[in-house]
Amino acid sequence: MRIMSVVGARPQFVKLGPIARAFRSHPEIEHLIVHTGQHYDPMLSDAFFADLEIEPPTVHLGVGSGTHGRQTGAMLADLDGVLEEHAPDWVLVYGDTNSTLAAAIAAVKMHIPLAHLEAGLRSFNRRMPEEHNRVLTDHAADLLLAPTEVAVQHLVNEGLGGKARLVGDVMTDVCFSTRDAVAGDHPTLPAGVSPDAPYVVATIHRADNTDDPARLSAIADALGQVAAPVVLLAHPRLVAKAAQAGIELARGGVHVVSPLAYPQMVRTVAGAAGVITDSGGLQKEAYLLRTPCTTLRSETEWVETLVDGWNILDPALERLTEVAVRPRPTGQQAQPYGDGRAASRVAQVLLDEGRPVEVGSR
Ligand code: UD1
């Protein structure tokens, strides 16, 4: 069976890691990887292939950055030829980026069976480009690989329950195996931040937080008031928007540093007293690594992280200084994100499904 994964952005490489490994253990699966080129900086792309031991992409489209329409359209145009040439039995798309949507449209237009990994997540916030991407992809796909029971319920509510399979979350697979592999390492911290005193890891990259200078300035102010050193892992979008608006991010105890490679990120978050973020993946990684998280958004797709206060939503920045560093919640954590074996379930589900006979019946 020939499965073509289409990926392009940092969080997709993290999910591809355990999937590629699981596919390698099934000789009957031929796995092709297409990299759209949405992310191209080495620390957002190549480092993940190296650290997670992912085979190099078969095809690299090299589309680069652009407006949503231009970027998605460039991928879509290029994917036609790739799908024609390689004729996969399944196209597998990941998460909710523009690369996900482009590959989903390309596959269904060519009547190639489409599987969506991380199906069924919803923020119910249509201002987020990711919400359009995931809703449209779910409704186009033939097979919906859902990470959680809540995600399955969303799919059922939208009439998609028949195509849904609960497989667990592949980010749990890679987060736990990496956590164990780097447990003996030191956190990666800038000069002046000690691993022996409380520190906070922060990331901000959502358009809603970066693109409005007043909002970005308020966030920079709030981070500067946190009562512990803040290691701000600055995504290129954040750096670009702050520079454009003339906003200084390094204020108070904030240290602005480049994004970390995945193993270093896991180790540094595991050792932190708190995480401040607007990323989806990092909210969940903080939960899995048992680090309290404060999310600068009004909603989360990962609602399970809110239980017992592991994750607190603070869109208005009203509570950040008070809650950024807080004691770990006591008590047993549930395991809403699976047991760390989701990727092998994905491989098995795809093998069991085979090639859908009547693709045109969707
Ligand atoms: C994208 C995804 C988002 C995901 C995030 C993870 C969409 C709509 N958004 O957001 O869901 O959480 O990736 O990081 O697909 N840039 C660089 N180098 C790069 C890539 C981007 O400098 O390698 C800069 C460019 O200025 C670019 C900007 O970052 O315009 C935004 O990149 P883009 O891929 O459009 O979106 P992200 O914000 O990364």
Side-chain angles (χ1 to χ4, degrees):
M1 173 184 287
R2 183 175 292 170
I3 302 173
M4 180 182 282
S5 285
V6 183
V7 290
R10 177 170 57 176
Q12 294 169 324
F13 310 137
V14 176
K15 294 162 203 166
L16 175 62
I19 290 286
R21 178 180 295 256
F23 286 179
R24 281 197 296 270
S25 70
H26 289 277
E28 61 275 51
I29 295 180
E30 181 193 357
H31 188 205
L32 305 180
I33 298 172
V34 176
H35 189 318
T36 63
Q38 177 169 350
H39 283 176
Y40 41 86
D41 283 351
M43 283 305 286
L44 295 191
S45 176
D46 300 1
F48 289 82
F49 281 79
D51 288 330
L52 300 177
E53 296 173 2
I54 305 170
E55 51 273 33
T58 316
V59 179
H60 199 302
L61 303 180
V63 297
S65 303
T67 61
H68 289 287
R70 288 199 182 89
Q71 187 180 56
T72 311
M75 296 172 193
L76 188 49
D78 286 356
L79 280 165
D80 272 0
V82 175
L83 294 176
E84 259 163 25
E85 183 185 341
H86 294 281
D89 296 308
W90 284 94
V91 168
L92 177 60
V93 295
Y94 298 67
D96 55 19
T97 75
N98 290 342
S99 299
T100 315
L101 180 62
I105 297 173
V108 298
K109 291 281 185 190
M110 294 182 68
H111 300 171
I112 298 173
L114 174 68
H116 183 203
L117 182 81
E118 214 175 72
L121 291 189
R122 295 292 181 267
S123 66
F124 302 102
N125 174 357
R126 287 296 183 108
R127 280 186 52 78
M128 293 177 66
E130 293 82 4
E131 185 75 354
H132 311 138
N133 291 343
R134 55 173 87 100
V135 170
L136 292 166
T137 301
D138 280 342
H139 282 260
D142 302 285
L143 183 62
L144 297 167
L145 301 161
T148 62
E149 286 176 14
V150 171
V152 170
Q153 193 54 53
H154 290 148
L155 295 169
V156 169
N157 295 346
E158 294 175 26
L160 299 173
K163 298 176 182 176
R165 306 283 182 279
L166 178 61
V167 290
D169 189 342
V170 298
M171 284 183 73
T172 304
D173 305 16
V174 62
C175 185
F176 282 169
S177 60
T178 305
R179 174 199 63 191
D180 297 344
V182 299
D185 297 353
H186 292 293
T188 305
L189 297 171
V193 181
S194 164
D196 303 322
Y199 66 87
V200 171
V201 172
T203 75
I204 300 294
H205 78 282
R206 296 267 167 219
D208 264 0
N209 281 334
T210 57
D211 293 10
D212 169 16
R215 171 74 179 164
L216 182 54
S217 185
I219 290 175
D221 272 343
L223 292 178
Q225 283 163 27
V226 170
V230 174
V231 182
L232 177 59
L233 306 175
H235 184 285
R237 173 193 279 278
L238 172 66
V239 174
K241 296 292 177 186
Q244 252 170 39
I247 294 169
E248 177 58 75
L249 296 168
R251 44 179 103 175
V254 177
H255 300 250
V256 182
V257 298
S258 299
L260 291 176
Y262 188 71
Q264 285 72 39
M265 201 275 302
V266 166
R267 179 65 192 89
T268 306
V269 167
V275 163
I276 301 170
T277 194
D278 57 5
S279 152
L282 190 51
Q283 290 173 56
K284 198 175 47 193
E285 283 155 349
Y287 180 85
L288 294 171
L289 297 167
R290 300 179 59 80
T291 301
C293 180
T294 308
T295 298
L296 305 187
R297 285 178 45 195
S298 48
E299 72 288 306
T300 177
E301 301 80 17
W302 302 106
V303 290
E304 302 83 0
T305 59
L306 300 173
V307 172
D308 291 336
W310 282 100
N311 186 14
I312 290 177
L313 302 178
D314 185 26
L317 308 167
E318 283 161 346
R319 302 183 59 197
L320 189 63
T321 42
E322 166 209 343
V323 299
V325 178
R326 60 183 189 272
R328 280 195 172 80
T330 51
Q332 196 72 10
Q333 256 185 355
Q335 278 200 331
Y337 301 118
D339 54 7
R341 285 178 299 167
S344 67
R345 257 178 238 118
V346 169
Q348 202 52 59
V349 169
L350 283 162
L351 286 168
D352 291 349
E353 289 286 319
R355 189 186 164 107
V357 183
E358 289 183 66
V359 175
S361 65
R362 65 163 89 63

